[in-house]
């Protein structure tokens, strides 16, 4: 993991080292021939961690990203950066890029998936669509979801899928990166997810406070980072 992180940390994006370790540990548990699907790759920061772990165990990664235009994600120049980063990490034979929306890639997808990482578009509807990928998980496979408890869209989709529809079971988290498996949640599983809501409220309050420069609120919540919580 240390060598993988040294490589990934040069890549721009949104992934802490502790979150990278969680991805690494889950991917290293896979067996030869396994398939990882990543939704939302940006410049390849998380893809590099997943790809190096996959390379070590003989697995493959499918990275899905339409490289949306705009100041936030950078469009086609980000695709060029992604491809350069994957090549620099020696992962061209491990990582397959599908440069399209996850919803489009899901149409006609017919391969079993051993690990799913979701970090694409963060609105409620897209996250619900992205959770449709869990239909292809092999029994016991994990789904990791970034920004699970700092985004209104992601969190509301998770509440819907776990608490209302009972399709996923929340297992644990590293900061906002949460781990789920496909199982009907028990009452205790549901309470574990609901128990994260105060922390979610803190995180969205910080995001709002940052936008209106409410320094006393940020101090009171103990947030001293120049970034939104993730
Ligand atoms: C938060 S970034 C991903 C960060 C990346 N995982 C990392 O480690 O830095 C979100 C990405 O989702 C992509 N995206 C937006 N809409 C998408 C969609 N419908 N399907 C897949 N990816 C999408 C954006 O182009 C962007 O690159």
């Amino acid at each position: 993991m240390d060598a993988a992180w040294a490589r990934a940390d040069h890549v721009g994006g949104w992934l802490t080292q502790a979150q990278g370790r969680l991805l690494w540990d889950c991917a290293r548990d896979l067996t030869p021939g396994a398939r990882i699907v990543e939704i939302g790759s940006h410049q390849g920061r998380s893809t590099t961690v997943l790809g190096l772990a996959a390379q070590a165990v003989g697995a493959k990664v499918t990275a899905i990203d339409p490289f949306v235009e705009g100041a936030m994600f950078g469009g086609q120049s980000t695709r060029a950066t992604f491809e350069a980063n994957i090549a620099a990490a020696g992962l061209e034979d491990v990582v397959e890029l599908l440069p399209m929306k996850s919803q489009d890639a899901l149409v006609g997808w017919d391969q079993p998936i051993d690990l799913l990482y979701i970090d694409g578009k963060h609105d409620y509807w897209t996250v619900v669509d992205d959770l449709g990928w869990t239909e292809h998980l092999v029994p016991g496979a994990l789904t990791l979801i970034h920004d699970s408890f700092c985004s209104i869209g992601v969190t509301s989709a998770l509440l819907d899928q776990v608490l209302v529809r009972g399709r996923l079971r929340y297992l644990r988290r590293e900061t906002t990166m949460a781990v789920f498996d496909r199982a009907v949640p028990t009452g205790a599983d549901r309470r574990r997810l609901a128990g994260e809501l105060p922390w979610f409220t803190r995180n969205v309050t910080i995001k709002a406070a940052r936008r209106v420069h409410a320094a006393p609120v940020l101090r009171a919540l103990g947030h001293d980072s120049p970034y939104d919580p993730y």
Side-chain angles (χ1 to χ4, degrees):
M1 167 61 189
D2 291 343
W5 186 252
R7 168 65 65 182
D9 203 19
H10 289 295
V11 178
W14 296 268
L15 184 78
T16 68
Q17 184 170 3
Q19 292 168 350
R21 178 166 292 283
L22 178 55
L23 288 182
W24 173 266
D25 289 344
C26 292
R28 283 299 304 255
D29 280 346
L30 300 177
T31 50
R35 164 92 28 206
I36 301 169
V37 169
E38 172 183 78
I39 297 172
S41 302
H42 191 56
Q43 296 182 12
R45 189 171 170 91
S46 51
T47 326
T48 299
V49 174
L50 289 170
L52 291 170
Q55 190 176 51
V57 299
K60 299 281 187 199
V61 178
T62 299
I64 304 168
D65 198 311
F67 298 103
V68 295
E69 297 294 336
M72 180 97 167
F73 295 130
Q76 288 308 303
S77 70
T78 299
R79 176 176 176 173
T81 305
F82 171 89
E83 289 173 337
N85 287 332
I86 293 306
L91 291 172
E92 286 163 305
D93 294 339
V94 176
V95 175
E96 173 199 28
L97 173 64
L98 299 183
M100 61 180 74
K101 291 180 179 174
S102 51
Q103 299 95 323
D104 296 336
L106 182 55
V107 177
W109 178 272
D110 60 0
Q111 296 178 57
I113 298 171
D114 299 275
L115 180 65
L116 175 63
Y117 179 46
I118 299 177
D119 189 19
K121 196 171 179 188
H122 284 18
D123 66 85
Y124 167 87
W125 297 273
T126 305
V127 177
V128 168
D129 285 348
D130 285 348
L131 288 167
W133 284 85
T134 62
E135 297 294 327
H136 295 282
L137 290 174
V138 302
L142 298 176
T143 298
L144 287 84
I145 305 178
H146 203 234
D147 298 314
S148 284
F149 304 113
C150 62
S151 158
I152 290 170
V154 179
T155 308
S156 54
L158 293 176
L159 293 174
D160 172 67
Q161 297 289 301
V162 176
L163 300 186
V164 180
R165 296 181 202 283
R167 293 184 64 240
L168 289 176
R169 184 168 58 155
Y170 170 50
L171 300 176
R172 62 185 188 278
R173 68 175 169 87
E174 169 51 57
T175 49
T176 73
M177 186 187 284
V179 186
F180 299 83
D181 67 0
R182 268 194 81 189
V184 177
T186 64
D189 294 329
R190 290 165 195 261
R191 283 192 293 280
R192 196 163 51 250
L193 183 72
E196 301 290 8
L197 290 179
W199 190 61
F200 161 74
T201 305
R202 169 197 180 270
N203 289 334
V204 291
T205 303
I206 288 169
K207 288 170 87 168
R210 275 176 36 76
R211 277 148 190 76
V212 297
H213 307 288
V217 176
L218 296 173
R219 269 198 301 280
L221 292 172
H223 187 76
D224 55 8
S225 158
Y227 304 107
D228 284 344
Y230 67 89

